[in-house]
Amino acid sequence: MEKQILEINLISAQGLKTPSANLRRMQTYAVTWINPATKLRTSVDSVGVENPTWNDKFLFRVSNEFISGDTSAVAVEIYAVGCIKDFLIGTVRFLLSTCLKRTKPGERSIGTPSFTALQIRRPSGRFQGVLNIAAAVYHSSDYAILDKLSAVSFRELMKKKESEAHRLRRLSRGGSRRSQPSSGGESCDLSDGADSSTSSSSTASTALKEWNSVRETAGKMKGAKSDGSGLLCGLVTPRKIPFCPPDQNLEFWAKAFEEND
């Protein structure tokens, strides 16, 4: 049986009545479904109070018979958020035949949204408030992701696409770190393999031994009488620094003072 995609957009509502006097500030959301087993919910409006705006879209995979049927309907319920439980504000039964235009017998207009306003029925049975709603029909090939789903929120669909794109970007960045060009122009493997860890540990131990040797040599030199030798770039290089004439004069007078003492 050929399928179509029905898009329902719950835009906003006006003139809602607060269901309980205990609610200090009314925050509302709406729930919609075609099959009661699969219900979809809008985000919560915390600003509009009696006149909320959601503008949430929902996609349903339905048959051609459902789209063209005169009694085919979408159910909507509007709730107010409560501390212990949520309060039902009202319900709407949206007949597709009152909104979607026919192009020819048995078919509806494809890709053209239709807007309408429907009265909201309160739990008492009285009508109060208006729900602004839009509907459109698309070919199932336009939404291949719904091949295995019967209904999905467009907002959740975008979140899944963003998370998938973020995961692919993270994987691509990880791959670029593992393969980076070396100074010779060849790619070097930065993976944490056993060979690389063994090689790195061997190099580290060799460097540590050399450094300890330099430190021991430097310590010995520090304890011995200074003869002008120096330490350069980690290598012990004995180097006799000759006295310049002014230094020789100073040495001569220093010995003379010691003899007089």
Side-chain angles (χ1 to χ4, degrees):
M1 183 181 297
E2 188 177 355
K3 297 291 184 179
Q4 301 280 11
I5 302 300
L6 174 63
E7 178 188 275
I8 298 297
N9 185 5
L10 300 182
I11 303 172
S12 61
Q14 284 89 34
L16 300 182
K17 182 177 177 61
T18 304
S20 174
N22 296 327
L23 292 177
R24 295 182 179 180
R25 184 176 181 85
M26 189 166 62
Q27 302 179 11
T28 60
Y29 65 90
V31 179
T32 183
W33 70 91
I34 291 175
N35 184 349
T38 307
K39 294 184 178 182
L40 303 176
R41 203 189 84 164
T42 69
S43 57
V44 176
D45 180 278
S46 57
V47 179
V49 192
E50 293 88 357
N51 304 303
T53 299
W54 306 294
N55 199 26
D56 275 346
K57 294 181 180 180
F58 305 94
L59 305 175
F60 299 92
R61 186 163 58 92
V62 295
S63 63
N64 285 338
E65 286 75 13
F66 181 85
I67 293 295
S68 59
D70 293 333
T71 59
S72 300
V74 177
V76 180
E77 290 180 345
I78 302 174
Y79 288 89
V81 178
C83 296
I84 300 177
K85 67 173 185 177
D86 296 342
F87 299 93
L88 178 63
I89 297 177
T91 60
V92 172
R93 188 170 182 268
F94 172 46
L95 287 174
L96 298 182
S97 58
T98 62
C99 182
L100 296 178
K101 299 179 180 179
R102 291 182 182 271
T103 55
K104 56 183 179 179
E107 293 186 5
R108 301 287 183 182
S109 177
I110 300 295
T112 303
S114 300
F115 300 87
T116 188
L118 303 172
Q119 286 186 307
I120 300 172
R121 183 186 296 272
R122 295 173 53 190
S124 62
R126 296 178 55 188
F127 288 100
Q128 181 167 351
V130 173
L131 173 66
N132 300 308
I133 191 171
V137 179
Y138 298 94
H139 295 294
S140 58
S141 58
D142 296 336
Y143 292 93
I145 194 171
L146 286 182
D147 289 344
K148 297 181 180 180
L149 298 174
S150 59
V152 67
S153 168
F154 195 81
R155 174 166 41 87
E156 295 297 327
L157 188 62
M158 291 298 102
K159 286 183 179 179
K160 290 181 180 179
K161 286 187 177 181
E162 289 177 359
S163 62
E164 181 66 17
H166 178 70
R167 186 181 68 86
L168 293 176
R169 287 195 299 268
R170 188 172 64 251
L171 291 177
S172 64
R173 287 197 298 268
S176 63
R177 291 194 190 101
R178 288 182 175 272
S179 178
Q180 294 180 353
S182 62
S183 59
E186 298 179 355
S187 62
C188 57
D189 188 7
L190 302 179
S191 60
D192 300 331
D195 295 339
S196 62
S197 61
T198 304
S199 176
S200 62
S201 62
S202 176
T203 304
S205 61
T206 304
L208 184 59
K209 289 179 181 178
E210 293 177 354
W211 173 246
N212 289 334
S213 177
V214 171
R215 291 184 62 188
E216 291 175 2
T217 305
K220 291 178 181 179
M221 293 181 62
K222 185 176 181 180
K225 184 178 180 180
S226 174
D227 57 355
S229 61
L231 188 65
L232 179 62
C233 295
L235 299 177
V236 179
T237 306
R239 182 164 57 91
K240 194 70 175 180
I241 303 176
F243 286 104
C244 60
D247 293 337
Q248 292 177 357
N249 295 334
L250 291 175
E251 186 178 17
F252 171 78
W253 287 109
K255 289 182 179 180
F257 283 125
E258 288 178 0
E259 292 175 357
N260 294 330
D261 293 340

